[in-house]
Amino acid sequence: MAQLRLTSPVPGVVRPLTAVPDPVFAGQMVGPGLAVEPDRTGRQDVLAPCDGVVGALHPHAFALELDDGRAVLVHVGIDTVTLAGQGFELHVERGRRVRAGDRVLTWSPVDVAAAGLSTMCPVVALQAEAVDVTLLVPEGERVEAGRPVLGWTAG
């Protein structure tokens, strides 16, 4: 079975999804994955975690549709939809093909934290079975953007 390697979209510390302060992500209701607690820096690029076509696209989140039918969600911060795009800059449009490491959007974790919101960034293997997704780095480890953090075996 082919294993997809998902990379971290931001630099920061790897956390379990259960640590995300949102019941949908913490309960893995949309799928398994991990979260990255980003470095608290000013402007920061959010990178595509794999190759795919930009499906759903919002200033604070995006989903990539893969050629094999799988999909990956990156959510930038928690409850950041309430910011109505303020502080987020999109660099792609829906339907565009991206490669792992391409810049998708820019944001400021400092500004999101100042607004009283969590900066955690869930990376989710949408609709996957938990047994098909494995952590490639230990929880609590710091990673750079672009480093492989999740393996996803096609079921």
Side-chain angles (χ1 to χ4, degrees):
M1 290 187 202
Q3 186 181 65
L4 175 67
R5 293 171 80 85
L6 301 176
T7 60
S8 181
V10 294
V13 177
V14 173
R15 302 287 185 214
L17 274 183
T18 54
V20 175
D22 180 291
V24 172
F25 291 115
Q28 299 185 27
M29 294 177 195
V30 293
L34 56 75
V36 179
E37 189 170 348
D39 294 345
R40 294 284 175 98
T41 59
R43 302 296 288 166
Q44 184 180 95
D45 290 334
V46 179
L47 309 180
C50 59
D51 298 351
V53 173
V54 178
L57 179 64
H58 304 279
H60 64 280
F62 61 92
L64 298 179
E65 299 168 356
L66 285 58
D67 291 340
D68 64 6
R70 292 183 279 182
V72 175
L73 171 69
V74 174
H75 202 284
V76 184
I78 302 302
D79 294 330
T80 44
V81 67
T82 61
L83 299 175
Q86 185 177 352
F88 294 85
E89 179 185 359
L90 291 172
H91 301 290
V92 299
E93 57 281 332
R94 194 171 190 276
R96 177 177 167 189
R97 181 167 289 280
V98 295
R99 298 190 49 81
D102 285 354
R103 181 175 68 163
V104 176
L105 64 93
T106 304
W107 73 311
S108 171
V110 172
D111 292 346
V112 168
L117 302 174
S118 170
T119 60
M120 281 200 171
C121 296
V123 179
V124 179
L126 290 173
Q127 307 302 318
E129 297 296 326
V131 296
D132 295 331
V133 177
T134 55
L135 282 177
L136 301 177
V137 296
E139 292 171 0
E141 185 167 314
R142 189 184 179 289
V143 295
E144 291 298 327
R147 178 173 171 191
V149 290
L150 277 179
W152 183 5
T153 305

